[in-house]
Amino acid sequence: MRKLLFTAFAIFLLSISSFSQKNDGMAYGKGTSDLNIGVGIGTFYWGSGVTNTLGVNPTLSYEYGVSDKFSVGGHLSISSAKYSSFGYDVKYTGVLIGPRGSYHFATTEKFDPYVGATLGYVIVSVTDNTGYPGAKASGVGLGGFLGARYFPGNSVGIHAEIGYTSFSFLTAGVTFRF
């Protein structure tokens, strides 16, 4: 898995290097605000044999450009899964909330590639169908991602991120810029 992520990152950097000339209308800059609303797919967070009861993991993130290259913000993601075996059902629910930061390669007016990291606080609850009162736990989760946003217009675009930023390996959705 590490080799695959490293190879994807290397190809991404090589592919954007031809766009790295700075021009007047950059896709990202100081004072830029982005609100990302999306869904995450692909997870090993809950373990094998577990099915995602939501189908996808809803995500919400916000970033503010503190410079022409760096942004900071927050991230929220929700996941729910279920394990069933011989009439025994266990349901897991998780919420991840925390800060995130990104470095932007600001390549063109409409294309915004970036790399970043998250530090999240994960809250998990577990219930089953036997009358068990349930359990709750929490902890710190770290993540890294490689992403890009594309804006066909001025304020609405699309985004995609690969890496482990929430409960998913791939997150995609719509971005609102203001």
Side-chain angles (χ1 to χ4, degrees):
M1 184 66 173
R2 282 189 212 175
K3 286 182 183 181
L4 177 64
L5 287 175
F6 178 76
T7 302
F9 182 71
I11 290 170
F12 178 81
L13 289 179
L14 290 174
S15 69
I16 65 168
S17 65
S18 62
F19 295 110
S20 62
Q21 299 88 3
K22 197 164 177 107
N23 60 24
D24 293 336
M26 300 305 273
Y28 204 84
K30 185 176 181 176
T32 301
S33 289
D34 285 330
L35 177 65
N36 299 313
I37 302 171
V39 294
I41 58 173
T43 183
F44 294 117
Y45 187 81
W46 303 112
S48 64
V50 177
T51 57
N52 187 329
T53 57
L54 298 174
V56 294
N57 300 318
T59 64
L60 178 70
S61 64
Y62 170 79
E63 290 187 40
Y64 177 78
V66 294
S67 75
D68 286 341
K69 297 287 185 181
F70 292 98
S71 64
V72 295
H75 178 88
L76 173 70
S77 184
I78 300 167
S79 181
S80 183
K82 183 179 183 180
Y83 174 78
S84 296
S85 178
F86 301 106
Y88 177 68
D89 297 326
V90 180
K91 183 178 180 185
Y92 307 93
T93 303
V95 176
L96 178 137
I97 188 165
R100 66 184 268 150
S102 299
Y103 174 80
H104 299 262
F105 298 99
T107 57
T108 70
E109 291 179 27
K110 297 184 180 289
F111 185 60
D112 174 25
Y114 53 92
V115 62
T118 61
L119 173 67
Y121 187 69
V122 182
I123 304 162
V124 175
S125 64
V126 181
T127 59
D128 70 8
N129 63 344
T130 65
Y132 175 66
K136 293 188 179 192
S138 59
V140 176
L142 300 173
F145 56 90
L146 178 65
R149 294 184 187 101
Y150 177 72
F151 291 91
N154 289 334
S155 60
V156 179
I158 57 173
H159 74 275
E161 295 176 354
I162 60 171
Y164 203 69
T165 60
S166 59
F167 297 105
S168 308
F169 292 115
L170 172 66
T171 303
V174 64
T175 298
F176 299 97
R177 179 162 283 172
F178 50 95

